């Protein structure tokens, strides 16, 4: 009897230990493991800083189901981004690794975007790339993705979390670049027009902070008038026209997107040409090159929508078990007066509504306008 009780007790302890071990193993298997670098493809997957941690997900056998969960869709950059994602997914070496590639855009409705990501998780997708409508609202989604073993990659408008992979350019640094260029080209300060992006997004926040911090640190007397252009030419053209009607004149302009519309509004209003720091729209660079002789001075910086292709490439690498940085830094494409050259950094024979700087050679990513614009921007 005594031996039997000991045996039963030992069995219970063994069972409990097994359950504990199983529980621990399950917890450890959820989400990525933090490992030592470098990345499996260090030239493409450059860590944000020397302190950036590295992730490794459990290797999965392909082909994979990958989804793009986009938020805002109402501007050229986002439309081109979706087309670029589809073009990348159709490249033969990428297509061979994909069982399905799905795109959904939910507009500015944050709840709808979160629901879309949840739906992809519940539907068993292997990876989800997301251009986030809000940087701080995804914590529950990140936890669910990690628990389900789904690779989540945020790009452009990234997430305020170090528990998910982020792929981006230095958005705050881009704002700093524009503002620093204005400081150098406007000797005495004055009233500047800041054309902002989509409210509530990390890109708009970070670029704005970079602009304002540099202006304040310059010691010059600046007054900033802010308008919301939503990174869209038509919207920017209207709000800039309204701002000129109210304030009459500005000594300089920064515009996060909708740069072509911004300059056209100034021209339509008969506003003298002033230094403009803007994005990489082909139409903006055309105007900068054409009107340099008339006094239009420009700095154009940003990154083309092809960063979505880097995000997809990162997701596939993570699914294949490669080591990737938690935060990946992409280079900016920059050119400023007098360096605008037709056929080199803008294209007079292409649409205004095309973002240049669409190559990431270190990642083997380089798209032609024709390759991108032939795709559809529709959900599918």
């Amino acid at each position: 009897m005594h031996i039997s009780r000991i045996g039963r007790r030992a069995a219970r302890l063994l069972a409990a230990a097994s359950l504990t071990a199983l529980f621990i193993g399950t917890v450890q298997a959820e989400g990525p493991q933090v490992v030592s670098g470098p990345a499996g493809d260090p030239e493409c997957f450059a860590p944000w800083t020397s302190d950036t941690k590295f992730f490794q997900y459990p290797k999965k056998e392909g082909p994979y189901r990958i989804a793009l969960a986009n938020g805002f869709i109402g501007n050229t950059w986002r439309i081109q981004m979706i087309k670029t994602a589809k073009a990348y997914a159709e490249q033969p070496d990428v297509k061979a690794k994909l069982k399905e590639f799905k795109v959904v855009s939910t507009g500015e409705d944050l709840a709808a975007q979160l629901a879309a990501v949840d739906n992809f998780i519940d539907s068993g997708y292997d990876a989800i790339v997301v251009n986030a409508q809000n940087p701080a609202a995804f914590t529950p989604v990140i936890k669910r993705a990690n628990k389900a073993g789904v690779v989540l990659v945020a790009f452009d408008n990234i997430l305020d979390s170090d528990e998910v992979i982020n792929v981006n350019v230095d958005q705050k640094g881009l704002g700093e670049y524009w503002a620093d260029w204005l400081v150098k080209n406007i000797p005495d300060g004055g009233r500047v027009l800041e054309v902002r992006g989509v409210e509530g997004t990390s890109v708009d926040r970070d670029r704005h902070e970079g602009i304002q911090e540099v202006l304040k640190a310059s010691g010059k007397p600046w007054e900033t008038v802010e308008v919301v252009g939503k990174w869209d030419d038509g919207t920017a053209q209207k709000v800039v026209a309204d701002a000129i009607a109210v304030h009459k004149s500005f000594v300089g302009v920064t515009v996060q997107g909708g740069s072509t519309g911004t300059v056209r509004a100034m021209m339509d209003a008969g506003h003298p040409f002033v230094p403009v720091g803007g994005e990489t729209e082909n139409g903006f660079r055309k105007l900068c090159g054409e009107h340099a002789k008339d006094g239009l001075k420009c700095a154009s910086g940003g990154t083309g929508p092809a960063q979505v292709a880097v995000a997809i490439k990162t997701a596939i690498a993570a699914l294949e078990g490669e080591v990737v940085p938690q935060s990946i830094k992409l280079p900016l494409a920059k050119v400023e007066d007098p360096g605008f050259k037709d056929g080199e950094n803008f294209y007079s024979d292409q649409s205004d509504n095309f973002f240049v700087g669409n190559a990431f050679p270190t990642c083997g990513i380089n798209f032609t306008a024709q390759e991108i614009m032939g795709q559809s921007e529709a959900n599918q």
Side-chain angles (χ1 to χ4, degrees):
M1 178 71 82
H2 179 64
I3 294 174
S4 178
R5 285 199 300 271
I6 293 174
R8 286 197 298 273
R9 184 168 179 246
R12 286 196 300 271
L13 290 171
L14 180 62
S18 297
L19 286 171
T20 301
L22 179 61
F23 175 76
I24 292 172
T26 302
V27 171
Q28 290 176 339
E30 290 180 356
Q33 300 294 304
V34 177
V35 297
S36 299
D41 186 350
E43 288 193 355
C44 178
F45 305 137
W48 195 267
T49 70
S50 59
D51 296 325
T52 297
K53 60 186 177 182
F54 290 81
F55 284 167
Q56 187 169 33
Y57 288 78
K59 182 178 180 179
K60 285 188 178 182
E61 294 301 320
Y64 306 112
R65 298 174 71 207
I66 296 180
L68 165 60
N70 179 52
F72 182 72
I73 187 62
N75 63 31
T76 303
W77 196 98
R78 293 296 181 101
I79 292 171
Q80 187 177 327
M81 179 270 291
I82 290 170
K83 291 182 176 185
T84 303
K86 292 179 179 180
Y88 185 67
E90 286 297 315
Q91 292 186 343
D93 57 334
V94 178
K95 190 173 184 177
K97 297 181 179 183
L98 298 178
K99 182 178 181 180
E100 180 184 359
F101 182 67
K102 177 79 171 179
V103 176
V104 168
S105 293
T106 53
E108 295 184 70
D109 187 339
L110 174 61
Q113 187 179 35
L114 294 172
V117 176
D118 271 333
N119 184 59
F120 286 133
I121 294 171
D122 293 341
S123 300
Y125 279 76
D126 299 298
I128 304 165
V129 294
V130 58
N131 195 326
Q133 196 61 31
N134 182 284
F138 277 72
T139 299
V141 169
I142 294 169
K143 292 183 182 300
R144 286 193 287 274
N146 283 340
K147 187 174 182 179
V150 178
V151 174
L152 188 62
V153 180
F155 71 99
D156 186 37
N157 285 287
I158 55 173
L159 301 176
D160 290 343
S161 172
D162 64 355
E163 301 304 318
V164 65
I165 300 172
N166 283 318
V167 176
N168 207 2
V169 299
D170 185 355
Q171 301 288 0
K172 184 175 182 180
L174 181 55
E176 291 170 344
Y177 166 69
W178 287 327
D180 184 65
W181 185 81
L182 288 184
V183 169
K184 291 176 180 175
N185 285 276
I186 304 172
D188 301 319
R191 183 191 297 128
V192 297
L193 178 63
E194 180 185 355
V195 185
R196 299 191 59 170
V198 174
E199 295 175 288
T201 59
S202 65
V203 169
D204 176 69
R205 175 198 66 193
D206 294 348
R207 292 181 178 186
H208 170 70
E209 288 179 358
I211 291 165
Q212 291 303 315
E213 287 179 11
V214 169
L215 292 180
K216 288 174 183 176
S218 72
K220 295 182 180 181
W222 301 102
E223 175 194 348
T224 304
V225 173
E226 296 179 22
V227 294
V228 178
K230 291 193 172 184
W231 305 318
D232 172 65
D233 276 327
T235 305
Q237 188 161 353
K238 181 182 184 307
V239 296
V240 170
D242 291 344
I244 293 172
V246 172
H247 297 280
K248 307 307 179 187
S249 66
F250 299 94
V251 298
V253 179
T254 64
V255 48
Q256 293 192 20
S259 312
T260 311
T262 294
V263 174
R264 291 199 183 282
M266 296 175 69
M267 294 170 65
D268 290 344
H271 192 290
F273 284 129
V274 296
V276 179
E279 247 281 359
T280 61
E281 296 103 323
N282 192 48
F284 174 54
R285 291 189 174 185
K286 284 184 190 179
L287 291 171
C288 294
E290 180 182 352
H291 293 285
K293 64 183 183 302
D294 304 318
L296 178 60
K297 297 183 69 173
C298 304
S300 171
T303 183
Q307 63 177 276
V308 68
V310 181
I312 297 169
K313 182 181 178 75
T314 304
I316 293 172
L319 289 168
E320 292 177 335
E322 286 190 31
V323 173
V324 295
Q326 179 270 319
S327 187
I328 295 172
K329 188 173 186 178
L330 301 178
L332 289 168
K334 296 188 289 188
V335 62
E336 57 195 54
D337 183 78
F340 293 94
K341 301 185 185 304
D342 192 5
E344 182 177 317
N345 47 46
F346 74 90
Y347 304 91
S348 59
D349 59 345
Q350 296 292 337
S351 165
D352 287 355
N353 299 322
F354 181 78
F355 282 77
V356 292
N358 244 351
F360 295 102
T362 55
C363 294
I365 292 170
N366 188 24
F367 293 97
T368 65
Q370 293 81 0
E371 194 175 3
I372 294 171
M373 303 314 283
Q375 300 290 329
S376 163
E377 70 266 24
N379 287 351
Q380 65 177 35

XYZ file of all heavy atoms in Angstrom, residues 110-191:
621
model
N -9.600 52.625 -37.921
C -8.634 51.802 -37.196
C -9.233 50.473 -36.769
O -8.589 49.422 -36.892
C -8.110 52.565 -35.974
C -7.201 51.788 -35.015
C -5.947 51.308 -35.728
C -6.844 52.663 -33.819
N -10.460 50.493 -36.261
C -11.097 49.254 -35.808
C -11.217 48.253 -36.952
O -11.036 47.042 -36.761
C -12.471 49.559 -35.213
N -11.505 48.754 -38.150
C -11.631 47.869 -39.309
C -10.286 47.252 -39.672
O -10.214 46.069 -40.053
C -12.196 48.641 -40.499
N -9.206 48.025 -39.560
C -7.889 47.469 -39.853
C -7.502 46.403 -38.830
O -6.991 45.336 -39.186
C -6.828 48.565 -39.898
C -5.468 48.046 -40.361
C -4.404 49.117 -40.427
O -4.388 50.037 -39.608
N -3.494 49.006 -41.392
N -7.741 46.680 -37.556
C -7.441 45.690 -36.515
C -8.261 44.420 -36.739
O -7.754 43.301 -36.581
C -7.735 46.272 -35.133
C -6.841 47.439 -34.699
C -7.362 48.052 -33.401
C -5.395 46.994 -34.529
N -9.522 44.583 -37.123
C -10.373 43.424 -37.384
C -9.860 42.627 -38.583
O -9.907 41.384 -38.581
C -11.811 43.878 -37.626
N -9.360 43.338 -39.593
C -8.819 42.649 -40.768
C -7.605 41.804 -40.399
O -7.467 40.660 -40.846
C -8.457 43.670 -41.848
N -6.707 42.367 -39.573
C -5.531 41.613 -39.136
C -5.955 40.399 -38.314
O -5.444 39.288 -38.495
C -4.568 42.505 -38.337
C -3.392 41.686 -37.809
C -4.055 43.651 -39.204
N -6.908 40.599 -37.404
C -7.427 39.479 -36.616
C -7.998 38.388 -37.515
O -7.800 37.194 -37.276
C -8.517 39.967 -35.658
C -7.966 40.404 -34.319
O -6.905 39.890 -33.916
O -8.586 41.265 -33.677
N -8.706 38.793 -38.546
C -9.297 37.826 -39.467
C -8.232 37.024 -40.204
O -8.370 35.808 -40.395
C -10.197 38.545 -40.474
C -10.915 37.578 -41.398
O -11.670 36.712 -40.962
N -10.685 37.734 -42.703
N -7.154 37.693 -40.606
C -6.056 36.974 -41.262
C -5.406 35.972 -40.298
O -5.040 34.863 -40.695
C -5.014 37.963 -41.779
C -5.438 38.721 -43.014
C -5.278 40.100 -43.092
C -5.993 38.066 -44.099
C -5.663 40.807 -44.214
C -6.380 38.751 -45.236
C -6.222 40.127 -45.299
N -5.256 36.375 -39.044
C -4.690 35.456 -38.044
C -5.598 34.238 -37.894
O -5.144 33.085 -37.936
C -4.504 36.175 -36.693
C -3.443 37.261 -36.806
C -4.106 35.169 -35.598
C -3.344 38.166 -35.590
N -6.905 34.489 -37.711
C -7.867 33.402 -37.521
C -7.966 32.505 -38.750
O -8.292 31.317 -38.634
C -9.252 33.965 -37.190
C -9.299 34.653 -35.839
O -8.398 34.389 -35.005
O -10.223 35.462 -35.613
N -7.688 33.070 -39.924
C -7.795 32.297 -41.172
C -6.539 31.505 -41.485
O -6.470 30.850 -42.535
C -8.111 33.249 -42.338
O -9.333 33.921 -42.122
N -5.541 31.598 -40.612
C -4.359 30.759 -40.766
C -3.301 31.271 -41.710
O -2.479 30.484 -42.201
N -3.276 32.575 -41.959
C -2.194 33.119 -42.785
C -0.868 32.969 -42.051
O -0.799 33.047 -40.821
C -2.458 34.585 -43.125
C -3.425 34.746 -44.276
C -4.792 34.546 -44.087
C -2.971 35.071 -45.550
C -5.683 34.674 -45.148
C -3.852 35.199 -46.613
C -5.211 34.993 -46.402
O -6.088 35.119 -47.464
N 0.185 32.782 -42.819
C 1.514 32.579 -42.222
C 2.166 33.891 -41.826
O 2.926 33.940 -40.845
C 2.417 31.835 -43.213
C 1.872 30.467 -43.563
O 1.753 29.638 -42.654
O 1.553 30.247 -44.754
N 1.908 34.960 -42.583
C 2.515 36.262 -42.295
C 1.570 37.363 -42.736
O 0.785 37.198 -43.685
C 3.859 36.409 -42.997
N 1.645 38.490 -42.033
C 0.844 39.664 -42.358
C 1.764 40.875 -42.350
O 2.495 41.092 -41.380
C -0.287 39.892 -41.331
C -1.162 38.638 -41.217
C -1.134 41.100 -41.720
C -2.067 38.640 -39.995
N 1.762 41.632 -43.431
C 2.483 42.906 -43.455
C 1.445 44.011 -43.325
O 0.350 43.918 -43.897
C 3.348 43.071 -44.722
C 4.474 42.064 -44.731
C 2.519 42.935 -45.985
N 1.765 45.039 -42.555
C 0.760 46.041 -42.225
C 1.352 47.442 -42.287
O 2.467 47.674 -41.830
C 0.159 45.767 -40.825
C 1.232 45.748 -39.755
C -0.924 46.777 -40.464
N 0.604 48.362 -42.921
C 0.897 49.784 -42.885
C -0.117 50.363 -41.903
O -1.282 50.577 -42.236
C 0.743 50.406 -44.280
C 1.385 51.775 -44.374
O 1.390 52.531 -43.422
N 1.915 52.090 -45.550
N 0.319 50.596 -40.668
C -0.590 50.768 -39.539
C -1.246 52.141 -39.502
O -0.577 53.168 -39.685
C 0.157 50.524 -38.234
N -2.526 52.162 -39.221
C -3.274 53.401 -39.102
C -2.959 54.133 -37.804
O -3.104 55.345 -37.720
C -4.782 53.111 -39.196
C -5.643 54.329 -39.463
C -5.308 55.002 -40.793
O -4.899 54.348 -41.753
N -5.471 56.319 -40.846
N -2.526 53.389 -36.801
C -2.160 53.985 -35.514
C -1.014 53.174 -34.921
O -1.082 51.949 -34.876
C -3.361 53.982 -34.566
C -3.052 54.633 -33.232
O -2.385 54.052 -32.384
N -3.548 55.848 -33.038
N 0.056 53.829 -34.443
C 1.246 53.088 -34.013
C 1.115 52.406 -32.656
O 1.914 51.526 -32.335
C 2.322 54.178 -33.961
C 1.568 55.439 -33.673
C 0.260 55.296 -34.399
N 0.110 52.809 -31.868
C 0.046 52.330 -30.484
C -1.110 51.375 -30.208
O -1.241 50.896 -29.081
C -0.052 53.524 -29.539
N -1.940 51.088 -31.209
C -3.178 50.348 -30.955
C -3.083 48.855 -31.246
O -4.075 48.141 -31.095
C -4.306 50.956 -31.785
N -1.911 48.377 -31.641
C -1.806 47.004 -32.131
C -1.318 46.007 -31.082
O -1.115 44.835 -31.417
C -0.873 46.960 -33.349
C -1.541 47.331 -34.639
C -1.901 48.641 -34.907
C -1.814 46.375 -35.602
C -2.515 48.999 -36.094
C -2.425 46.708 -36.798
C -2.778 48.031 -37.044
N -1.108 46.433 -29.835
C -0.545 45.523 -28.836
C -1.320 44.221 -28.715
O -0.715 43.132 -28.739
C -0.444 46.229 -27.472
O 0.420 47.364 -27.607
C 0.124 45.293 -26.422
N -2.661 44.241 -28.590
C -3.386 42.967 -28.514
C -3.216 42.104 -29.767
O -3.125 40.880 -29.689
C -4.846 43.401 -28.324
C -4.775 44.788 -27.782
C -3.573 45.397 -28.422
N -3.174 42.768 -30.933
C -3.006 42.031 -32.191
C -1.628 41.380 -32.250
O -1.490 40.232 -32.706
C -3.214 42.984 -33.387
C -2.787 42.315 -34.694
C -4.664 43.417 -33.477
N -0.601 42.092 -31.796
C 0.750 41.530 -31.779
C 0.791 40.272 -30.913
O 1.368 39.243 -31.297
C 1.762 42.567 -31.267
C 1.870 43.735 -32.245
C 3.141 41.931 -31.054
C 2.636 44.923 -31.710
N 0.147 40.336 -29.759
C 0.121 39.170 -28.866
C -0.599 37.990 -29.522
O -0.151 36.842 -29.438
C -0.556 39.540 -27.542
C 0.241 40.526 -26.696
C -0.450 40.794 -25.369
C 0.308 41.828 -24.534
N 1.688 41.387 -24.220
N -1.710 38.257 -30.197
C -2.448 37.176 -30.856
C -1.640 36.590 -32.014
O -1.653 35.372 -32.236
C -3.802 37.689 -31.344
C -4.809 37.891 -30.220
C -6.214 38.095 -30.747
N -6.397 39.399 -31.347
C -6.720 40.503 -30.675
N -6.882 40.449 -29.368
N -6.895 41.656 -31.303
N -0.969 37.449 -32.766
C -0.144 36.949 -33.876
C 0.976 36.064 -33.357
O 1.212 34.966 -33.889
C 0.421 38.122 -34.678
N 1.658 36.515 -32.314
C 2.752 35.712 -31.756
C 2.242 34.388 -31.207
O 2.879 33.333 -31.367
C 3.472 36.500 -30.671
C 4.402 37.552 -31.232
O 4.800 37.481 -32.399
N 4.753 38.543 -30.430
N 1.095 34.427 -30.538
C 0.532 33.192 -29.975
C 0.176 32.194 -31.074
O 0.313 30.979 -30.901
C -0.709 33.521 -29.150
C -1.280 32.331 -28.392
C -2.416 32.752 -27.482
C -2.937 31.559 -26.694
N -4.040 31.944 -25.773
N -0.278 32.728 -32.229
C -0.669 31.867 -33.342
C 0.497 31.487 -34.239
O 0.316 30.731 -35.205
C -1.747 32.567 -34.173
N 1.698 32.016 -33.949
C 2.856 31.722 -34.789
C 2.832 32.443 -36.119
O 3.423 31.973 -37.104
N 2.148 33.577 -36.174
C 2.051 34.377 -37.403
C 3.119 35.466 -37.380
O 3.238 36.203 -36.398
C 0.654 35.016 -37.541
C 0.582 35.895 -38.790
C -0.424 33.937 -37.576
N 3.889 35.584 -38.448
C 4.895 36.637 -38.560
C 4.189 37.939 -38.918
O 3.468 38.013 -39.919
C 5.945 36.286 -39.626
C 6.898 37.460 -39.843
C 6.723 35.038 -39.219
N 4.383 38.965 -38.104
C 3.781 40.271 -38.340
C 4.891 41.272 -38.631
O 5.813 41.435 -37.834
C 2.976 40.703 -37.103
C 2.122 41.963 -37.217
C 1.045 41.803 -38.282
C 1.472 42.288 -35.866
N 4.803 41.939 -39.784
C 5.813 42.913 -40.205
C 5.117 44.237 -40.484
O 4.244 44.319 -41.359
C 6.570 42.447 -41.467
C 7.618 43.485 -41.867
C 7.223 41.088 -41.243
N 5.481 45.276 -39.749
C 4.943 46.618 -39.988
C 5.957 47.412 -40.810
O 7.162 47.314 -40.583
C 4.665 47.319 -38.666
N 5.457 48.220 -41.753
C 6.345 49.038 -42.575
C 5.730 50.410 -42.763
O 4.533 50.609 -42.602
C 6.608 48.379 -43.932
C 5.417 48.387 -44.854
C 5.298 49.345 -45.865
C 4.397 47.459 -44.712
C 4.201 49.371 -46.708
C 3.284 47.480 -45.550
C 3.191 48.427 -46.551
N 6.557 51.379 -43.111
C 6.137 52.762 -43.358
C 5.549 53.340 -42.072
O 6.269 53.925 -41.279
C 5.160 52.827 -44.531
C 4.808 54.260 -44.917
O 5.705 55.123 -44.858
O 3.642 54.524 -45.270
N 4.244 53.222 -41.864
C 3.661 53.588 -40.576
C 3.802 52.376 -39.657
O 2.991 51.440 -39.697
C 2.197 53.987 -40.733
C 2.059 55.358 -41.351
O 2.312 56.368 -40.709
N 1.672 55.394 -42.620
N 4.842 52.404 -38.856
C 5.216 51.231 -38.075
C 4.523 51.244 -36.712
O 3.690 52.094 -36.423
C 6.746 51.149 -37.918
C 7.289 52.453 -37.309
C 7.404 50.859 -39.270
C 8.751 52.395 -36.957
N 4.876 50.286 -35.856
C 4.229 50.104 -34.566
C 5.178 50.462 -33.435
O 6.382 50.206 -33.506
C 3.761 48.655 -34.421
C 2.779 48.190 -35.501
C 2.452 46.715 -35.338
C 1.499 49.027 -35.470
N 4.611 51.047 -32.389
C 5.400 51.412 -31.218
C 5.596 50.181 -30.344
O 5.040 50.060 -29.251
C 4.697 52.519 -30.423
C 4.695 53.848 -31.153
O 5.494 54.005 -32.091
O 3.893 54.720 -30.775
N 6.375 49.234 -30.840
C 6.604 47.979 -30.125
C 7.915 47.374 -30.587
O 8.250 47.440 -31.772
C 5.460 46.995 -30.402
O 5.762 45.717 -29.877
N 8.628 46.760 -29.643
C 9.839 46.027 -30.021
C 9.572 44.532 -30.023
O 10.491 43.723 -29.990
C 11.008 46.381 -29.097
C 10.760 45.958 -27.648
O 9.649 45.485 -27.343
O 11.681 46.111 -26.831
N 8.284 44.147 -30.090
C 7.902 42.735 -30.136
C 7.403 42.338 -31.516
O 6.844 41.259 -31.694
C 6.818 42.450 -29.080
C 7.234 42.768 -27.648
C 8.504 42.025 -27.235
O 8.638 40.833 -27.565
O 9.364 42.648 -26.590
N 7.607 43.217 -32.482
C 7.174 42.962 -33.847
C 8.253 43.507 -34.771
O 9.017 44.409 -34.402
C 5.809 43.651 -34.106
C 5.952 45.162 -34.024
C 5.221 43.254 -35.454
N 8.349 42.978 -35.992
C 9.338 43.466 -36.946
C 8.845 44.771 -37.558
O 7.721 44.850 -38.059
C 9.586 42.433 -38.064
C 10.092 41.109 -37.489
C 10.604 42.974 -39.075
C 10.171 39.993 -38.509
N 9.675 45.801 -37.542
C 9.384 47.086 -38.173
C 10.368 47.330 -39.311
O 11.579 47.109 -39.146
C 9.494 48.229 -37.162
C 8.300 48.316 -36.230
O 7.162 48.160 -36.662
N 8.548 48.570 -34.954
N 9.863 47.776 -40.438
C 10.679 48.109 -41.613
C 10.360 49.550 -42.005
O 9.198 49.871 -42.289
C 10.378 47.157 -42.788
C 11.162 47.590 -44.035
C 10.698 45.716 -42.428
N 11.361 50.411 -42.030
C 11.060 51.814 -42.292
C 12.319 52.586 -42.644
O 13.434 52.128 -42.393
C 10.419 52.456 -41.050
C 9.510 53.632 -41.396
O 9.316 53.974 -42.557
N 8.942 54.248 -40.370
N 12.110 53.776 -43.201
C 13.176 54.771 -43.289
C 13.121 55.590 -42.005
O 12.193 55.476 -41.205
C 13.011 55.694 -44.509
C 13.055 54.905 -45.799
C 11.728 56.503 -44.412
N 14.106 56.440 -41.816
C 14.127 57.321 -40.650
C 13.176 58.488 -40.919
O 13.572 59.512 -41.459
C 15.555 57.816 -40.395
C 15.669 58.646 -39.129
O 14.631 58.916 -38.493
O 16.803 59.031 -38.782
N 11.901 58.304 -40.552
C 10.901 59.319 -40.859
C 11.175 60.628 -40.127
O 11.027 61.716 -40.703
C 9.500 58.790 -40.504
C 9.102 57.517 -41.231
C 8.796 57.730 -42.704
O 8.872 58.844 -43.225
N 8.452 56.656 -43.400
N 11.573 60.536 -38.887
C 11.922 61.762 -38.161
C 13.147 62.417 -38.807
O 13.215 63.636 -38.951
C 12.195 61.460 -36.695
C 12.466 62.710 -35.868
C 12.625 62.394 -34.386
C 12.850 63.666 -33.578
N 13.007 63.389 -32.129
N 14.099 61.588 -39.214
C 15.282 62.105 -39.901
C 14.934 62.805 -41.204
O 15.605 63.763 -41.608
N 13.871 62.333 -41.885
C 13.435 62.995 -43.114
C 12.892 64.384 -42.801
O 13.209 65.360 -43.499
C 12.371 62.153 -43.813
C 11.825 62.698 -45.129
C 12.940 62.971 -46.134
C 10.796 61.740 -45.715
N 12.095 64.491 -41.737
C 11.627 65.806 -41.314
C 12.779 66.721 -40.951
O 12.785 67.917 -41.295
N 13.774 66.169 -40.283
C 14.960 66.951 -39.919
C 15.704 67.425 -41.164
O 16.204 68.559 -41.216
C 15.880 66.107 -39.046
C 15.313 65.812 -37.667
C 16.117 64.772 -36.907
O 16.933 64.067 -37.546
O 15.926 64.644 -35.688
N 15.783 66.550 -42.176
C 16.458 66.903 -43.426
C 15.786 68.093 -44.090
O 16.439 69.069 -44.492
C 16.468 65.694 -44.354
C 16.823 66.012 -45.788
C 18.111 66.407 -46.138
C 15.854 65.933 -46.791
C 18.434 66.712 -47.460
C 16.158 66.225 -48.105
C 17.448 66.616 -48.439
O 17.763 66.923 -49.738
N 14.442 68.037 -44.222
C 13.723 69.150 -44.855
C 13.943 70.447 -44.086
O 14.217 71.487 -44.680
C 12.232 68.842 -44.902
C 11.826 67.803 -45.890
C 12.388 67.550 -47.104
C 10.756 66.879 -45.740
N 11.734 66.515 -47.730
C 10.720 66.088 -46.914
C 9.805 66.630 -44.748
C 9.774 65.075 -47.102
C 8.875 65.629 -44.932
C 8.860 64.861 -46.090
N 13.776 70.358 -42.756
C 13.887 71.579 -41.953
C 15.302 72.136 -41.967
O 15.501 73.353 -42.058
C 13.451 71.288 -40.514
N 16.287 71.268 -41.914
C 17.672 71.729 -41.955
C 17.968 72.428 -43.276
O 18.664 73.451 -43.317
C 18.618 70.535 -41.750
C 20.075 70.952 -41.685
O 20.433 71.671 -40.738
O 20.851 70.565 -42.576
N 17.403 71.894 -44.358
C 17.598 72.501 -45.670
C 16.932 73.884 -45.724
O 17.497 74.840 -46.276
C 17.030 71.581 -46.748
C 17.284 72.048 -48.146
C 18.429 71.907 -48.884
C 16.361 72.754 -48.976
N 18.271 72.486 -50.117
C 17.011 73.005 -50.203
C 15.046 73.188 -48.807
C 16.388 73.668 -51.249
C 14.416 73.858 -49.845
C 15.092 74.092 -51.055
N 15.743 74.006 -45.123
C 15.095 75.319 -45.071
C 15.915 76.312 -44.253
O 16.063 77.475 -44.642
C 13.695 75.197 -44.463
C 12.609 74.525 -45.298
C 11.273 74.596 -44.568
C 12.478 75.158 -46.674
N 16.442 75.855 -43.117
C 17.257 76.731 -42.277
C 18.449 77.275 -43.059
O 18.791 78.461 -42.974
C 17.728 75.981 -41.014
C 18.798 76.780 -40.266
C 16.544 75.697 -40.085
N 19.073 76.411 -43.858
C 20.241 76.825 -44.639
C 19.876 77.785 -45.762
O 20.699 78.602 -46.176
C 20.932 75.588 -45.225
C 21.611 74.701 -44.194
C 22.171 73.450 -44.849
C 22.846 72.542 -43.832
N 23.304 71.269 -44.424
N 18.643 77.665 -46.268
C 18.264 78.439 -47.448
C 17.363 79.635 -47.155
O 16.988 80.354 -48.085
C 17.584 77.517 -48.472
C 18.575 76.611 -49.194
O 19.186 77.019 -50.171
N 18.744 75.404 -48.690
N 17.016 79.835 -45.886
C 16.209 80.998 -45.497
C 16.968 81.717 -44.387
O 16.866 81.329 -43.215
C 14.804 80.574 -45.032
C 14.106 79.747 -46.119
C 13.963 81.801 -44.677
C 12.791 79.135 -45.683
N 17.731 82.719 -44.702
C 18.672 83.313 -43.744
C 18.033 83.885 -42.483
O 18.597 83.782 -41.395
C 19.362 84.419 -44.552
C 19.142 84.057 -45.979
C 17.838 83.348 -46.035
N 16.840 84.476 -42.613
C 16.299 85.251 -41.492
C 15.072 84.628 -40.834
O 14.410 85.283 -40.021
C 15.949 86.661 -41.981
C 17.156 87.379 -42.555
O 18.253 87.255 -41.974
O 17.005 88.046 -43.607
N 14.745 83.390 -41.173
C 13.547 82.794 -40.608
C 12.291 83.419 -41.190
O 12.323 84.069 -42.238
N 11.150 83.215 -40.508
C 9.898 83.781 -40.992
C 8.776 82.769 -40.922
O 8.875 81.734 -40.257
N 7.697 83.045 -41.641
C 6.525 82.172 -41.622
C 6.674 81.048 -42.651
O 6.854 81.311 -43.847
C 5.255 82.964 -41.921
C 3.971 82.113 -41.837
C 2.759 82.838 -42.391
N 2.466 84.025 -41.607
C 2.302 85.237 -42.120
N 2.445 85.418 -43.431
N 2.037 86.265 -41.351
